[in-house]
Amino acid sequence: YVEDNCYVFRNKKGDDFVHHSNFVMAPLFHIESTINAKRLYEIKNKHNLVKVVELPQRDMISITNFKLQIESLGNFLWTGGDVELNKLKAWLYEKTKSCKEVTQMGWQKEGFYCWGNGIFNGSEFVVADKYGIVTFKDRYFYIPSSSEIYTQDDTLFEFERNFIHNEGNITLYEYAQKYTEVFGENGIVTLAFYFASLFIDIIDQRFDKFPILNMYGQKGSGKNTCAESMLYLFGKKGKVPNLHNSSKPSIADHVATSANAVCVLDEYRNDLEMEKRELLKGFWDKTGRTRMNMDKDKKKETSKVNQGVIVLGQQIATADIALFSRFIALGFSKTTFSFEEKRAFEDLEKINKQGLTQITHQLLKQRQVFKEQYPKQVDATTLKFRE
């Protein structure tokens, strides 16, 4: 039983009671996983100090690991043994609800779009609570980047903390006008690429390949701004990986961070090492890096590419024709701009920073229409080109 925020147990003889903790635990959620299950608890000691702790399931079956995790939080002490811990677990597990951890941002097969700070359920944005939990169709989902457990650690979830719903007040039509005013026909193609990337899972049902958008041109020609403006449609603009300085695994991991979104890779050059060029070719087939998973009996697994990839650089990919054939190439040649053009560019930058994710929500509301009409439009367009 509980007394003054402490757990009290019968002794081994059964004729007396003994305190085996200076805290109590309130079960929040069991996070389902085949290899990395966890449990969330709110823990309070006898001095009313409250912490939220995420305990891996493996630490719940080891008294040593359990004590290490608990005592690392501060003045929290467990003096019981395995018998007492098993009794406590039996009592806590009966009261614990299960939820699923979201490991990839963007579109989820359950039918919602996940941001680093909540979800879009098809009609409205739902903010995650202080534990990082959201509800969708009577199921619970855990977004660790929005949990107060990790608030003080800014080294974790860097991507997820940029991939957030950041609402502005401009409409799609107004933004398309501003965007194409600055970038012209290149802007039209880029917006079309954004539309396609937002429904890439539907397109994948018809085609098993998806092109890479390649923007090339001199420094100061506007290619980076054209591409990075797309990132504001998915939250705040985070860091863009450099293809030369980044490792092959980090590039593959970056491309696998979200689904039905857009990511940008910078500094393509024709002298890029062959392994990275081959990796880029794989993105066309929507496959990433193959590795051996040590947590799954050393089975091989290949990361999936579920979003549109934009590659930037000063050179067009002529060194590898196979790679070039997988690119949609957009050239940026203009480097001097008039006063009016500069002002239009500055206006676009201000709009970007105000937030654009409401446009993404506006389009996601049309997902069912896109799903129904896309196959018909593909057939009609294919027939038109054959004529």
Side-chain angles (χ1 to χ4, degrees):
Y1 67 91
V2 173
E3 180 181 83
D4 297 328
N5 287 344
C6 301
Y7 287 123
V8 184
F9 295 83
R10 287 187 181 274
N11 63 11
K12 292 182 179 180
K13 294 181 179 180
D15 58 359
D16 200 359
F17 294 91
V18 58
H19 287 70
H20 278 308
S21 78
N22 68 344
F23 62 85
V24 291
M25 301 169 68
L28 300 176
F29 286 95
H30 161 239
I31 302 163
E32 301 168 351
S33 175
T34 55
I35 60 174
N36 191 29
K38 293 172 282 192
R39 292 179 182 270
L40 290 182
Y41 293 100
E42 184 178 80
I43 181 169
K44 180 191 291 187
N45 71 6
K46 63 182 181 181
H47 304 294
N48 290 318
L49 174 64
V50 179
K51 298 276 187 177
V52 177
V53 59
E54 181 184 278
L55 292 175
Q57 187 62 50
R58 61 181 176 272
D59 292 343
M60 295 294 292
I61 60 175
S62 166
I63 188 67
T64 302
N65 291 351
F66 177 75
K67 291 174 70 173
L68 176 62
Q69 289 280 5
I70 294 299
E71 293 178 21
S72 296
L73 298 172
N75 185 13
F76 299 93
L77 184 64
W78 175 263
T79 58
D82 285 321
V83 173
E84 288 76 21
L85 180 60
N86 286 334
K87 289 181 179 179
L88 176 62
K89 287 193 297 183
W91 188 62
L92 292 174
Y93 288 3
E94 286 290 331
K95 303 179 180 181
T96 306
K97 299 176 182 178
S98 291
C99 69
K100 179 182 177 181
E101 181 176 355
V102 178
T103 57
Q104 184 183 57
M105 295 291 99
W107 183 254
Q108 308 295 312
K109 64 181 181 180
E110 287 81 6
F112 63 90
Y113 200 86
C114 185
W115 301 98
N117 56 344
I119 67 168
F120 179 69
N121 61 14
S123 58
E124 62 180 354
F125 177 69
V126 180
V127 181
D129 67 17
K130 64 180 182 178
Y131 306 119
I133 302 294
V134 290
T135 306
F136 179 76
K137 292 184 177 179
D138 299 325
R139 285 195 64 189
Y140 296 101
F141 295 87
Y142 175 51
I143 309 173
S145 59
S146 62
S147 173
E148 66 178 23
I149 299 172
Y150 302 105
T151 302
Q152 303 301 321
D153 193 342
D154 57 6
T155 63
L156 297 174
F157 306 112
E158 182 178 358
F159 172 80
E160 289 82 354
R161 287 170 176 169
N162 286 317
F163 196 94
I164 60 172
H165 176 47
N166 185 30
E167 187 167 355
N169 53 20
I170 193 170
T171 66
L172 170 61
Y173 181 76
E174 292 169 337
Y175 186 73
Q177 283 186 313
K178 292 283 187 183
Y179 189 75
T180 54
E181 178 187 352
V182 175
F183 299 111
E185 291 186 355
N186 285 345
I188 295 173
V189 176
T190 305
L191 282 174
F193 186 80
Y194 157 65
F195 298 150
S197 299
L198 201 56
F199 303 109
I200 195 171
D201 64 312
I202 298 174
I203 295 174
D204 187 45
Q205 295 172 10
R206 180 66 181 261
F207 303 101
D208 59 354
K209 297 174 174 58
F210 196 80
I212 301 165
L213 189 61
N214 175 222
M215 300 182 182
Y216 67 94
Q218 299 180 45
K219 179 179 173 61
S221 59
K223 63 184 185 301
N224 284 66
T225 307
C226 182
E228 290 172 2
S229 293
M230 292 295 98
L231 298 181
Y232 287 103
L233 291 157
F234 299 98
K236 298 178 180 179
K237 182 176 74 71
K239 294 179 181 178
V240 175
N242 183 308
L243 282 169
H244 273 271
N245 297 339
S246 301
S247 66
K248 182 180 171 182
S250 68
I251 294 170
D253 289 344
H254 179 74
V255 173
T257 49
S258 53
N260 290 30
V262 171
C263 71
V264 178
L265 302 172
D266 200 4
E267 295 298 336
Y268 171 83
R269 298 202 308 260
N270 282 322
D271 63 353
L272 189 68
E273 56 192 89
M274 185 184 67
E275 289 81 4
K276 291 180 181 177
R277 293 205 306 267
E278 294 300 318
L279 181 65
L280 290 176
K281 290 179 189 177
F283 295 164
W284 156 269
D285 297 314
K286 300 186 68 192
T287 57
R289 179 174 64 109
T290 300
R291 69 185 183 93
M292 185 177 291
N293 193 321
M294 303 305 291
D295 296 320
K296 293 182 179 179
D297 297 328
K298 298 183 180 180
K299 297 184 186 299
K300 286 186 178 180
E301 65 176 18
T302 303
S303 60
K304 296 286 290 182
V305 180
N306 297 321
Q307 62 177 333
V309 179
I310 301 178
V311 174
L312 309 177
Q314 296 188 35
Q315 299 176 352
I316 190 169
T318 54
D320 192 325
I321 300 304
L323 178 60
F324 177 73
S325 68
R326 290 161 167 78
F327 280 173
I328 297 174
L330 298 182
F332 290 75
S333 56
K334 190 174 181 179
T335 56
T336 57
F337 303 93
S338 66
F339 174 78
E340 290 75 15
E341 289 172 328
K342 291 179 180 178
R343 187 172 62 182
F345 168 77
E346 291 170 357
D347 289 344
L348 180 68
E349 281 284 86
K350 290 178 182 177
I351 293 170
N352 286 341
K353 292 176 181 178
Q354 288 172 1
L356 298 175
T357 54
Q358 76 282 355
I359 295 176
T360 297
H361 286 181
Q362 186 181 349
L363 288 165
L364 287 172
K365 289 180 180 179
Q366 308 304 319
R367 179 178 169 86
Q368 188 59 37
V369 176
F370 185 91
K371 188 174 183 178
E372 293 171 357
Q373 295 297 321
Y374 179 72
K376 301 174 185 177
Q377 295 300 324
V378 169
D379 292 339
T381 304
T382 302
L383 182 61
K384 183 177 179 180
F385 272 91
R386 285 175 178 171
E387 293 174 352

